[in-house]
Amino acid sequence: MSSNHGENPALPALLDSEQTVSQFLDEIDDGYFEADLHGRFMFVNEALTRMTGFSRAELLDPQSNHFSTYLDASTAARLKEFITAMCQNGRAIRSVDLPLWCRDGVTRHLDVSISLIRDAYGHGQGYRGFLRDMTEQRQLEKALRTSIQQLSMLQQVDSELSRYLDPNAILSVGLNAAMAISRADLGLIAMLEESGLHIVRSIGFGGSDQGRTLNLNEGIIGRALRTGRAQFCADVSRDPDYVADVGGMEANIVAPLTARDRVIGVLNLETTRGVRFSAEVYEFIQLLTARLAISLDNAVLLRTTQEQLSALQKLYAHVTDLEHLKTDMIRIAAHDMRGPLSVIASYVDLLRGDLNGSLDEAQQGYFDAITRGLDRLMRLSTDVLSLERIHARREKPSESVRFDQLVRDVVEQFKPEAEQRGVLFRSSVSRTPVFVVGEASELSEAISNLLTNALKYTPGGGKVFVQMIAEVDKVRCEVHDTGFGIPESEQARLFQPFYRVKTHDTAAISGTGLGLHLVKNIVERHDGAVYFESQPGTGSMFGFTLPLAPVAGRVDSSAQACAS
Ligand code: ATP
Ligand code: MG
């Protein structure tokens, strides 16, 4: 170190090998200095010249070698205080943060540790210090602090935004937050609608701007909408696109509100003091608009859904009213029709009896047609009233029904009709008692409907077979026929009320399309299930299962079937 302070005889040789130490000090990254008790640099290492930008000669120049030359007045005073205290108590100064002026005009933040240089008698002769450049670290810390601050602000805005489901409240929260964060003088949010871009919120424009339409292609706003990207203009006087609504503005930020890949609006902020719109603020505003757009979009979606729901509810109430009206009308018609129909039927019978023998073939045909029509009307009225009765019943059927006997009785009733139609009619019903819980009249009606169909849709010469099979916990009742069968495309709607299959073979067969619907309703009311199989030209099988009555109905599944 003799090269630096060799001229100062007051400082003794501090280390044995000055040259080695001097070389070592020049190779380290930290700055190092030695100063006399007046604060004048006596030695500086290489790293200190790099940190400050001043050469060794400049730093050691007697005109400028006092440390205060490189510090602002308050820092110099603070350091002086530390050094005075150190000289008095002999305790080293550890890790003090010092802003140091450097040649490039930049202030570097240094971490400084200083200790006393003592002579052989322990008296202070000067001091030495190490300086570490903390500028980068300070910048990183500052950036981190800013990010944390931004995140917590964003979190606050987020929780504010999520408190509201009303688009108007969300717009207010969003614009107020953007204004507060950017310290803008003017701010507005405009939303894109079919009729154009309308201002929905504004602050600082004097008078109300609400509802004013903006030109979609004009200004920096137009540019943001065209590109779908946020725009940052630090000096509006240099941007030819800028359109001034209020004079005296210096900087402008425009951020599009984008939700589900669609621009739904735009946020515009302007300030008279450009410095307020820093890069951090710009970045932050973009984060804010992303959240604002999502909240707004969700709120609008919710509102639309609620509107649609209430429209649907109104429609449903209307349809329900109509449905009740229709049901009442059908019931009244079906009920009131029965009296006049019976009167017509008995007079037709009387007339036919009186005229018996005097009717020619054509007149007989007219009477037959009247009778067929009356039968049809009677059947329609019966079906409608049955359906109505079943729908109206709330409580479950609870009688214990001897199901095997019931099936046999219904089969018996249909034998004459089968014979009349020329259809071979057979059945297989177990003689072992089988009990179900239900209502006998309804279950008879269900089997009758299946049998009516089987006979109706099986041409003469065909076969109809009724089978009852008892299983461990349920009983099956199936009606098989070798009739016309049903095309697959028609099968899905068979159980819908009034649905009739239209095929060439069955077109002339009359019916109302209520039979199968009734069967399904009856079976399901008894906790059973209907099933079927059908093939056009081959035949059909319609059947249902019913749960067996709890104890009495348990039967041995191997019970012998009785064929008749
Ligand atoms: P109704 O109300 O008088 O019974 P329908 O017999 O026409 O009238 P459903 O019993 O509900 O009405 O039957 C619906 C349709 O299913 C019938 O129109 C018929 O085309 C078809 N269908 C039902 N059973 C059979 C069957 N066994 N074979 C062929 N087609 C059938
Ligand atoms: Mg039928």
Side-chain angles (χ1 to χ4, degrees):
M1 288 185 284
S2 54
S3 56
N4 279 184
H5 53 66
E7 288 164 27
N8 188 347
L11 282 178
L14 297 171
L15 295 162
D16 290 344
S17 169
E18 276 197 10
Q19 212 156 5
T20 314
V21 172
S22 169
Q23 197 182 343
F24 162 74
L25 289 172
D26 274 342
E27 282 170 5
I28 60 174
D29 286 336
D30 291 342
Y32 176 80
F33 69 88
E34 288 173 8
D36 64 14
L37 285 174
H38 302 290
R40 291 184 298 244
F41 291 132
M42 293 293 124
F43 171 84
V44 291
N45 75 344
E46 201 44 51
L48 192 64
T49 66
R50 277 201 306 276
M51 273 179 204
T52 58
F54 295 103
S55 69
R56 231 173 211 153
E58 284 170 315
L59 290 170
L60 297 174
D61 181 349
Q63 297 301 312
S64 56
N65 71 346
H66 197 272
F67 67 76
S68 60
T69 316
Y70 304 95
L71 302 172
D72 64 52
S74 75
T75 312
R78 190 158 61 99
L79 186 59
K80 199 168 167 196
E81 254 176 57
F82 283 137
I83 289 169
T84 311
M86 180 180 70
C87 290
Q88 281 165 3
N89 60 27
R91 275 205 294 276
I93 303 166
R94 294 194 196 285
S95 221
V96 174
D97 194 0
L98 282 188
L100 188 80
W101 285 339
C102 305
R103 160 150 266 152
D104 50 12
V106 175
T107 302
R108 288 217 153 67
H109 288 273
L110 304 175
D111 182 77
V112 183
S113 297
I114 302 174
S115 61
L116 268 180
I117 300 172
R118 302 171 194 271
D119 62 14
Y121 306 102
H123 297 132
Q125 296 296 305
Y127 44 88
R128 64 166 74 86
F130 277 99
L131 303 98
R132 177 159 291 175
D133 190 349
M134 304 297 281
T135 314
E136 206 173 319
Q137 194 173 330
R138 293 281 179 276
Q139 278 168 353
L140 283 175
E141 282 169 5
K142 192 176 163 213
L144 193 66
R145 270 200 306 277
T146 312
S147 298
I148 291 171
Q149 223 175 352
Q150 282 188 349
L151 273 175
S152 76
M153 277 161 102
L154 211 56
Q155 200 186 10
Q156 269 175 27
V157 176
D158 252 355
S159 73
E160 268 288 281
L161 287 175
S162 58
R163 275 178 48 206
Y164 298 101
L165 291 170
D166 168 30
N168 287 324
I170 291 172
L171 284 168
S172 297
V173 170
L175 185 58
N176 288 341
M179 295 289 289
I181 288 155
S182 64
R183 293 189 291 148
D185 299 293
L186 299 181
L188 67 81
I189 294 177
M191 298 301 286
L192 259 179
E193 284 154 26
E194 269 173 31
S195 52
L197 182 67
H198 302 293
I199 297 179
V200 289
R201 276 284 173 294
S202 67
I203 296 176
F205 284 84
S208 172
D209 250 33
Q210 206 107 322
R212 182 158 70 89
T213 306
L214 297 174
N215 188 334
L216 277 172
N217 300 310
E218 198 179 68
I220 301 181
I221 290 183
R223 203 163 74 204
L225 290 176
R226 270 195 309 281
T227 58
R229 283 205 301 271
Q231 305 289 315
F232 179 25
C233 178
D235 182 357
V236 290
S237 66
R238 288 167 176 235
D239 193 321
D241 283 342
Y242 177 74
V243 179
D245 267 322
V246 176
M249 295 299 138
E250 205 174 293
N252 186 196
I253 291 176
V254 182
L257 300 170
T258 308
R260 288 179 289 148
D261 293 333
R262 206 168 40 90
V263 176
I264 57 170
V266 75
L267 167 76
N268 179 72
L269 298 168
E270 295 179 38
T271 179
T272 50
R273 297 188 57 205
V275 282
R276 288 180 181 165
F277 286 2
S278 62
E280 286 86 26
V281 165
Y282 177 51
E283 204 176 301
F284 188 77
I285 292 299
Q286 289 179 76
L287 292 173
L288 175 73
T289 44
R291 275 157 178 77
L292 178 60
I294 292 168
S295 298
L296 267 178
D297 192 48
N298 285 344
V300 171
L301 266 180
L302 180 76
R303 197 169 60 181
T304 317
T305 313
Q306 279 170 340
E307 281 167 5
Q308 284 171 347
L309 182 70
S310 88
L312 263 178
Q313 279 167 338
K314 274 190 201 138
L315 203 66
Y316 180 74
H318 187 57
V319 169
T320 311
D321 286 350
L322 281 179
E323 183 68 31
H324 286 153
L325 189 69
K326 191 193 82 185
T327 317
D328 286 352
M329 301 262 304
I330 290 174
R331 201 190 60 228
I332 291 165
H335 193 266
D336 291 0
M337 184 161 93
R338 294 186 79 82
L341 279 178
S342 310
V343 174
I344 296 169
S346 42
Y347 278 111
V348 167
D349 279 352
L350 271 178
L351 212 58
R352 200 173 203 172
D354 285 355
L355 296 172
N356 205 7
S358 60
L359 293 173
D360 61 23
E361 208 174 313
Q363 287 166 331
Q364 285 279 7
Y366 301 152
F367 268 105
D368 287 347
I370 294 172
T371 312
R372 275 200 307 276
L374 282 171
D375 281 351
R376 226 181 122 186
L377 283 172
M378 270 301 197
R379 229 177 24 246
L380 173 63
S381 142
T382 310
D383 282 354
V384 167
L385 291 176
S386 298
L387 200 60
E388 176 62 25
R389 202 179 56 236
I390 287 162
H391 278 172
R393 274 187 193 151
R394 291 274 169 266
E395 69 296 345
K396 286 263 173 203
S398 56
E399 294 170 26
S400 178
V401 178
R402 170 103 189 250
F403 191 64
D404 59 304
Q405 190 56 52
L406 183 142
V407 178
R408 270 193 297 277
D409 289 349
V410 178
V411 165
E412 213 50 45
Q413 284 166 27
F414 275 82
K415 278 183 175 164
E417 189 181 337
E419 203 175 313
Q420 195 195 335
R421 288 178 180 268
V423 171
L424 187 65
F425 189 40
R426 291 282 178 272
S427 65
S428 164
V429 180
S430 152
R431 283 257 168 233
T432 314
V434 172
F435 287 91
V436 297
V437 176
E439 197 167 312
S441 61
E442 285 184 15
L443 294 173
S444 297
E445 200 170 348
I447 303 169
S448 297
N449 268 302
L450 295 184
L451 272 171
T452 307
N453 281 351
L455 292 172
K456 206 157 73 160
Y457 300 111
T458 301
K463 291 179 203 157
V464 168
F465 174 61
V466 182
Q467 193 178 21
M468 193 211 80
I469 312 153
E471 295 177 355
V472 181
D473 55 355
K474 60 179 179 279
V475 60
R476 285 175 191 282
C477 179
E478 294 177 352
V479 179
H480 299 251
D481 68 55
T482 57
F484 301 119
I486 303 159
E488 205 181 329
S489 57
E490 303 278 342
Q491 294 182 4
R493 301 175 62 194
L494 280 181
F495 294 92
Q496 288 178 4
F498 301 106
Y499 187 74
R500 303 206 65 224
V501 178
K502 286 174 193 64
T503 61
H504 175 72
D505 295 324
T506 58
I509 300 172
S510 69
T512 50
L514 276 176
L516 287 180
H517 181 64
L518 246 171
V519 173
K520 189 170 183 321
N521 271 273
I522 292 172
V523 169
E524 286 175 358
R525 212 170 90 80
H526 284 77
D527 296 328
V530 289
Y531 56 94
F532 72 98
E533 271 173 19
S534 186
Q535 212 158 6
T538 305
S540 312
M541 181 281 296
F542 281 84
F544 60 86
T545 56
L546 290 176
L548 290 179
V551 181
R554 300 277 141 176
V555 291
D556 179 0
S557 59
S558 62
Q560 249 196 341
C562 167
S564 61

